[in-house]
């Protein structure tokens, strides 16, 4: 690693001043991270690191307007949410109203060289779920267990004390949000839309991804937030795979999931 750093040092002085490149030897490859653009480029040839980093920097420059748009949209959403909360206070209904702030998906802005959504990376698949329920939920309580969108309906209806005769796939997490649950099965299941099928089981720390276009991935999202290290074949994490994969398979059987019938996914998940 020291020799690698010495070889790269003369070249780094010619990079744009805003670009930071950190060579890291990992699984016989070099990862060049362009810190400003948030892109990761994995290379098998050390000699290509600087050129790849320069290209990543240029892509980052092109993506900055999109990032500014995302930041402006988030700021505007915050302002409008504040207006709603102010109106509730003015009407005297603030303590009689449940307010939920959430989204249907995230948006990648250059991470992993991608834009938009549709992949199981955190920037695409992880969404906020902030709930304000005076008298029902404690203030400043953070829940780390995994939930999914299908849990929102039974949870909110339970908080409202509204019963319904219809079957739902989600779980009532109202007691979890209130901090009244000693044991919770910390797992949620994600799936792609048609086109490039993948299935995913995610917990507060781990993410197992079974895809038709790749080998299985196990990611420790707590210790590897960039999601670049595959632990699936690491024997130290075999117990995690053995815990998550059967639950993902059971989910697919229960719901007769179409993706599980794709030969490449079926072979990885069941065979």
């Amino acid at each position: 690693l020291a020799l690698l750093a010495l070889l790269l040092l003369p070249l780094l002085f010619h990079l744009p001043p805003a670009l930071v490149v950190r060579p890291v030897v990992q699984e016989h490859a070099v990862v060049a991270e362009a810190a400003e653009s948030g892109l990761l480029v994995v290379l098998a040839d050390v000699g290509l690191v600087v050129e790849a980093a320069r290209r990543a920097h240029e892509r980052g420059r092109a993506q900055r307007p999109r990032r500014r748009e995302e930041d402006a949209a988030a700021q505007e959403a915050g302002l409008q949410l504040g207006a709603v909360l102010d109106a509730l206070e003015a009407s005297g209904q603030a303590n009689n109203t449940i307010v939920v702030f959430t989204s249907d998906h995230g948006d990648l802005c250059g991470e992993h060289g991608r834009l938009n959504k549709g992949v199981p990376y955190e920037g695409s698949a992880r969404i906020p779920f902030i709930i304000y329920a005076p008298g029902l939920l404690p203030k400043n309580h953070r829940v780390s267990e995994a939930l999914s969108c299908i849990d929102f309906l039974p949870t909110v209806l339970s908080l409202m004390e509204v019963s319904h005769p219809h079957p739902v796939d989600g779980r009532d997490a109202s007691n979890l949000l209130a901090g009244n649950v000693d044991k919770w099965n910390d797992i949620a299941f994600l799936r792609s839309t048609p086109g490039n099928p993948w299935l995913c089981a995610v917990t507060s720390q781990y993410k197992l991804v079974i895809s038709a276009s790749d080998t299985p991935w196990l990611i420790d999202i707590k210790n590897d937030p960039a999601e670049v290290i595959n632990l699936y074949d690491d024997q130290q994490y075999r117990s995690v795979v053995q815990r998550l994969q059967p639950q993902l398979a059971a989910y697919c059987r229960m719901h007769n999931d179409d993706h599980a019938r794709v030969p490449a996914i079926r072979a990885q998940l069941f065979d």
Side-chain angles (χ1 to χ4, degrees):
L1 183 57
L3 177 60
L4 174 63
L6 288 174
L7 291 172
L8 289 172
L9 190 59
L11 299 174
L12 296 182
F13 287 109
H14 299 288
L15 291 173
L19 181 63
V20 178
V21 176
R22 294 182 295 164
V24 180
V25 174
Q26 178 186 303
E27 298 182 350
H28 310 293
V30 173
V31 179
E33 180 176 359
E36 184 178 7
S37 64
L39 296 177
L40 288 174
V41 183
V42 182
L43 304 165
D45 185 347
V46 174
L48 298 178
V49 169
V50 174
E51 180 58 31
R54 196 184 301 276
R55 291 197 301 270
H57 177 66
E58 292 302 319
R59 287 197 298 271
R61 289 180 60 187
Q63 289 158 8
R64 283 175 209 154
R66 179 185 177 91
R67 292 191 176 196
R68 286 196 293 268
E69 292 173 2
E70 295 281 348
D71 291 343
Q75 183 179 21
E76 181 64 20
L79 291 172
Q80 297 303 324
L81 177 60
V84 171
L85 296 178
D86 289 344
L88 288 173
E89 287 286 350
S91 68
Q93 294 299 316
N95 292 327
N96 192 38
T97 304
I98 295 174
V99 179
V100 176
F101 183 85
T102 187
S103 174
D104 59 341
H105 60 82
D107 243 352
L108 293 172
C109 289
E111 303 96 320
H112 299 272
R114 300 180 66 99
L115 298 174
N116 210 335
K117 57 181 180 177
V119 289
Y121 293 126
E122 291 289 274
S124 169
R126 190 182 183 95
I127 62 172
F129 186 70
I130 303 171
I131 184 166
Y132 168 82
L136 300 175
L137 299 178
K139 295 181 180 179
N140 303 318
H141 178 56
R142 184 182 181 91
V143 172
S144 60
E145 287 85 353
L147 297 170
S148 75
C149 295
I150 62 172
D151 300 319
F152 297 171
L153 174 64
T155 299
V156 173
L157 288 180
S158 177
L159 290 171
M160 296 170 61
E161 299 182 350
V162 173
S163 60
H164 61 89
H166 307 292
V168 295
D169 292 325
R171 297 178 289 177
D172 176 5
S174 57
N175 285 326
L176 177 67
L177 300 183
N180 297 328
V181 173
D182 294 327
K183 188 175 183 181
W184 178 267
N185 187 15
D186 178 22
I187 194 167
F189 304 106
L190 314 177
R191 70 189 304 278
S192 69
T193 52
N196 184 25
W198 52 262
L199 294 162
C200 176
V202 61
T203 73
S204 56
Q205 180 168 358
Y206 296 105
K207 181 183 296 181
L208 173 66
V209 182
I210 306 294
S211 170
S213 59
D214 202 350
T215 56
W217 273 69
L218 177 69
I219 303 168
D220 184 342
I221 52 180
K222 185 174 293 184
N223 295 304
D224 176 28
E227 300 179 275
V228 294
I229 302 174
N230 186 1
L231 303 171
Y232 185 84
D233 292 323
D234 190 324
Q235 291 303 309
Q236 295 183 28
Y237 295 87
R238 199 62 201 160
S239 62
V240 178
V241 173
Q242 291 172 345
R243 174 165 55 90
L244 299 185
Q245 191 156 324
Q247 293 188 76
L248 180 57
Y251 159 84
C252 291
R253 291 191 182 99
M254 179 182 296
H255 297 280
N256 195 25
D257 194 286
D258 290 343
H259 288 357
R261 293 197 289 270
V262 176
I265 291 181
R266 182 176 181 83
Q268 297 174 36
L269 190 58
F270 299 112
D271 297 348

